[in-house]
Amino acid sequence: MIMYYELNDLYKNMRVRVSQLSGILDVCMILLDTELLADGDVEGTLVYFGSGSTEEYTKWFMQEKAITPVFFDSAIFEDGIMYDE
């Protein structure tokens, strides 16, 4: 059984799966040290979560370690309509 997180549950350096974050909308998150799991999910260490308009967020994209950005856009889920790009 997968535990799904809410924003209030998050803290830096916790290990999470991307699927566990799927209920957190419109929040920029960055995972470090990610690995692809056998079920196709991705697991990593949560190193940032917030608005994405901070210096800390920008710095993660400037350093050399591989990161996995995660963002679930609420616009995709509005009125049950999904948009395909």
Side-chain angles (χ1 to χ4, degrees):
M1 181 174 182
I2 295 177
M3 177 180 173
Y4 294 95
Y5 292 110
E6 295 181 9
L7 186 58
N8 292 337
D9 300 324
L10 301 183
Y11 57 90
K12 287 184 180 179
N13 297 318
M14 70 187 290
R15 291 293 288 181
V16 295
R17 291 177 168 215
V18 170
S19 63
Q20 293 176 302
L21 304 173
S22 62
I24 301 172
L25 305 177
D26 302 326
V27 175
C28 297
M29 296 171 272
I30 296 176
L31 301 181
L32 187 65
D33 301 325
T34 56
E35 60 182 290
L36 181 61
L37 303 175
D39 62 3
D41 206 350
V42 173
E43 182 178 73
T45 303
L46 182 67
V47 293
Y48 176 87
F49 59 97
S51 68
S53 60
T54 65
E55 186 176 325
E56 178 187 5
Y57 181 75
T58 304
K59 282 183 180 180
W60 277 108
F61 288 90
M62 307 299 240
Q63 51 84 43
E64 294 181 14
K65 294 180 184 175
I67 61 171
T68 302
V70 178
F71 185 81
F72 295 99
D73 190 346
S74 64
I76 293 174
F77 301 105
E78 285 180 8
D79 300 324
I81 299 171
M82 293 192 69
Y83 299 94
D84 192 16
E85 292 186 29

